[in-house]
Amino acid sequence: MPVEAFTYEDIYELLRTEKFSTDLENLKPQDLARIQAYLKTKESLLNKHVEDVTSMLSSQKKIKIQQEIGNAMRALKDLYEIRERKIINRAIYSVRTDSSFKDTTNLLETEIELYTQLLD
């Protein structure tokens, strides 16, 4: 079954939710696959419009798609940085409280690796 892609609004909603939450939000690997599908779709649309450079309409669509990709990439970068900061803060808290409990709630696999390395 094909993965239904996100829209830019879906990506922005993930960012907004993460930004205004004190703890890490639940981000699923399926969400990452949907984001990847969204970006691939936009890239293929962009490549399609690059081939048809003669039309003014095509140029406008190309610019709009480039802006969408740029906005989505900025939102994803912000989302990554917010999550990274929360993971670092979680690790600092664990070390300062001398807690043996490793709180990996709502962490993705790569984030668990980062969290573990920070604790070590």
Side-chain angles (χ1 to χ4, degrees), residues 38-52:
Y38 163 80
L39 291 172
K40 282 184 180 181
T41 300
K42 291 298 175 182
E43 287 288 338
S44 69
L45 281 173
L46 184 61
N47 291 335
K48 177 181 158 189
H49 288 290
V50 166
E51 293 169 2
D52 184 22

Side-chain angles (χ1 to χ4, degrees), residues 23-37:
D23 202 9
L24 284 166
E25 289 296 304
N26 188 15
L27 185 61
K28 301 174 191 82
Q30 299 91 324
D31 293 334
L32 298 179
R34 292 173 66 196
I35 291 168
Q36 187 177 26

Side-chain angles (χ1 to χ4, degrees), residues 11 15 35 39 71-81:
I11 294 171
L15 171 62
I35 291 168
L39 291 172
N71 290 341
M73 294 304 287
R74 277 188 295 283
L76 290 169
K77 180 180 180 279
D78 290 347
L79 176 65
Y80 173 81
E81 289 174 352

Side-chain angles (χ1 to χ4, degrees), residues 56-106:
M56 178 62 98
L57 183 60
S58 181
S59 294
Q60 291 173 344
K61 285 183 181 180
K62 177 184 170 194
I63 291 169
K64 183 179 179 196
I65 293 168
Q66 285 173 325
Q67 289 173 335
E68 263 189 72
I69 292 170
N71 290 341
M73 294 304 287
R74 277 188 295 283
L76 290 169
K77 180 180 180 279
D78 290 347
L79 176 65
Y80 173 81
E81 289 174 352
I82 291 167
R83 289 183 68 84
E84 182 181 59
R85 194 172 325 116
K86 288 180 180 182
I87 294 166
I88 291 168
N89 288 337
R90 185 182 284 186
I92 289 171
Y93 178 79
S94 293
V95 169
R96 285 185 180 163
T97 59
D98 205 22
S99 174
S100 60
F101 174 69
K102 291 185 178 181
D103 184 8
T104 58
T105 309
N106 292 341

